Amino acid sequence: MKIVGADVIVCCPGRNFVTLKITTDEGVTGLGDATLNGRELSVASYLKDHVCPVLIGRDPQRIEDTWQYLYRGAYWRRGPVTMSAIGAVDMALWDIKGKLAGLPVYQLLGGASREGVMAYSHATGRDIPETLEAFAEHREKGFRAIRVQCGVPGMKSVYGVSKKKGAAYEPATKGWPEEQSWSTEKYLDYVPRLFEAVREKFGFDIHLLHDAHHRLSPIEAARLGKSVEDYRLFWLEDLTPAENQEAFRLIRRHTVTPIAVGEVLNTIWDCKNLIEEQLIDYIRMTVTHAGGITHLKRVFDFASLYQVRSGSHGPSDLSPVCLGAALHLDLAIPNFGVQEYMGYHEQTMEVFRCAWRYEDGFMHPGEKPGLGVEIDEALAAKYPYEPAFLPVARLEDGTMWNW
Ligand code: KDG
Ligand code: MG
């Protein structure tokens, strides 16, 4: 069997997505997600110009060999663009393998280790009362785990807070990147009150998560973790930028609040120390940005040796193809923790037809052979790419900061 087609589909049904479609000479097709939010066209070009041509004629069944060919063969290793492109190819090949076998991908990964995959949603509000309202709505939908983010008095915009009441959080903006300002002092003084309010109103019988989105220094992160221990968070996410893996030693020394990291990491080398030294509790890498099912499974297996569990990134800027692939892995691996699920625009769900489902706090990839996600290409063509950027952040004195 041979690959006879590799096509990149860029569309914007509510937001931009880059999808790779691989076709075999037997007419079987596979899909992979290659979306890198705010930098979409760089991966589209990497695929179109440098990867698709060399896929033609290859055996689609040789997933590992193709992974190694693209990783070693590029000479230039790692990085979000390379790894997202490899990730898309890998996903598409697993999709094809599943279709050829007549089995959902999770069966090829060893079968189900659980009945369903616990998902967490996002409750957001401009202030604490609004966030509590949103929390109640998410609990009503059955979520057993909910991330909370809320506005901070004195700050114009805060990561993770939607602009209008009840609207889904969408960080990317059309046109130039939005400039946001940040004050660690204001945030650190305020955010423990949010957790206190949630626990007071809803009790402890639900998992509570929070994302600091890379804004803190290690000692500030340690202070936050320590100050919220009584609220028993499921995790604090991305407290400090993880390029400096050693920084997490300091945080660990000061707090027992569980720590999650990884949505901007791309290979095992980005998190090897974090896992090996047990400096984190959850690894949040995702199928698209971490080189596909093949590489992410390797990371999760390594993490399982150190009691680090998975907590895959699942924002609305990774396509439903990525979420489908993540769910197959989540269902199969022994060390699953939780899966993020933000939901999608209506138009997105019309373009991508999904076998995966959400029900009462849990998700399942479905039983369709392969990944179980198809794209309506004619409809996708009606939503052309729209340039959009993620925001940037500055401190109140104008210094560039981490968004
Ligand atoms: O594109 C950036 C988003 O995916 C990111 O900001 C979302 O941090 C995020 C999360 O935890 O979902
Ligand atoms: Mg995050």
Side-chain angles (χ1 to χ4, degrees), residues 120 147 159 211-214 237-238 263 284 313 340:
Y120 76 87
R147 181 184 107 159
Y159 163 76
D211 189 349
H213 222 253
H214 324 274
E237 172 185 342
D238 286 341
E263 68 180 47
R284 277 182 49 68
H313 193 206
E340 184 180 19

Side-chain angles (χ1 to χ4, degrees), residues 185-249:
E185 296 76 17
K186 288 176 184 151
Y187 165 81
L188 278 184
D189 284 343
Y190 192 70
V191 80
R193 295 192 218 165
L194 169 64
F195 306 145
E196 184 185 13
V198 172
R199 286 310 191 200
E200 224 173 75
K201 191 165 167 80
F202 299 100
F204 284 78
D205 197 20
I206 187 157
H207 295 305
L208 187 56
L209 298 81
H210 179 74
D211 189 349
H213 222 253
H214 324 274
R215 306 281 166 93
L216 308 179
S217 70
I219 199 68
E220 290 162 349
R223 176 183 144 201
L224 177 61
K226 194 170 172 175
S227 69
V228 300
E229 279 173 2
D230 284 350
Y231 310 123
R232 299 208 300 271
L233 267 65
F234 187 88
W235 78 35
L236 274 175
E237 172 185 342
D238 286 341
L239 288 168
T240 196
E243 291 100 306
N244 179 5
Q245 297 184 42
E246 290 73 27
F248 285 79
R249 280 193 209 125

Side-chain angles (χ1 to χ4, degrees), residues 96-339:
I96 289 171
K97 198 177 272 300
K99 286 175 181 170
L100 291 173
L103 291 170
V105 166
Y106 78 82
Q107 292 289 10
L108 305 179
L109 299 173
S113 290
R114 53 197 56 79
E115 305 312 314
V117 167
M118 183 172 72
Y120 76 87
S121 64
H122 291 195
T124 140
R126 287 164 299 176
D127 52 26
I128 290 179
E130 210 174 278
T131 313
L132 295 180
E133 247 181 80
F135 195 95
E137 283 163 23
H138 287 263
R139 209 176 58 145
E140 211 42 40
K141 288 180 190 152
F143 284 100
R144 314 290 207 272
I146 302 176
R147 181 184 107 159
V148 288
Q149 308 287 141
C150 105
V152 174
M155 280 169 64
K156 275 199 212 103
S157 49
V158 177
Y159 163 76
V161 178
S162 47
K163 293 198 170 88
K164 281 191 220 132
K165 189 178 175 203
Y169 176 63
E170 170 56 73
T173 48
K174 312 251 159 87
W176 289 104
E178 183 191 339
E179 295 246 346
Q180 298 184 350
S181 79
W182 174 253
S183 160
T184 299
E185 296 76 17
K186 288 176 184 151
Y187 165 81
L188 278 184
D189 284 343
Y190 192 70
V191 80
R193 295 192 218 165
L194 169 64
F195 306 145
E196 184 185 13
V198 172
R199 286 310 191 200
E200 224 173 75
K201 191 165 167 80
F202 299 100
F204 284 78
D205 197 20
I206 187 157
H207 295 305
L208 187 56
L209 298 81
H210 179 74
D211 189 349
H213 222 253
H214 324 274
R215 306 281 166 93
L216 308 179
S217 70
I219 199 68
E220 290 162 349
R223 176 183 144 201
L224 177 61
K226 194 170 172 175
S227 69
V228 300
E229 279 173 2
D230 284 350
Y231 310 123
R232 299 208 300 271
L233 267 65
F234 187 88
W235 78 35
L236 274 175
E237 172 185 342
D238 286 341
L239 288 168
T240 196
E243 291 100 306
N244 179 5
Q245 297 184 42
E246 290 73 27
F248 285 79
R249 280 193 209 125
L250 188 147
I251 304 173
R252 253 321 197 219
R253 247 180 257 140
H254 291 280
T255 180
V256 294
T257 297
I259 295 167
V261 165
E263 68 180 47
V264 300
L265 309 183
N266 315 118
T267 75
I268 184 70
W269 301 103
D270 298 330
C271 55
K272 186 169 168 290
N273 299 355
L274 289 174
I275 291 172
E276 230 167 23
E277 294 186 37
Q278 291 170 294
L279 301 178
I280 58 171
D281 302 279
Y282 297 91
I283 181 71
R284 277 182 49 68
M285 283 157 75
T286 194
V287 183
T288 297
H289 302 148
I293 291 173
T294 299
H295 189 66
L296 192 55
K297 175 140 184 353
R298 205 158 275 152
V299 173
F300 287 160
D301 284 343
F302 179 65
S304 77
L305 303 179
Y306 298 94
Q307 285 140 318
V308 174
R309 294 197 283 159
S310 75
S312 274
H313 193 206
S316 47
D317 47 85
L318 285 160
S319 95
V321 180
C322 175
L323 183 61
L327 292 172
H328 285 280
L329 257 178
D330 293 341
L331 198 67
I333 58 172
N335 54 331
F336 167 75
V338 73
Q339 171 65 51

Side-chain angles (χ1 to χ4, degrees), residues 6-29:
D7 300 293
V8 179
I9 304 157
V10 183
C11 61
C12 187
R15 65 161 351 284
N16 290 314
F17 294 112
V18 178
T19 309
L20 175 71
K21 179 181 165 192
I22 294 182
T23 308
T24 70
D25 55 357
E26 292 185 10
V28 181
T29 59

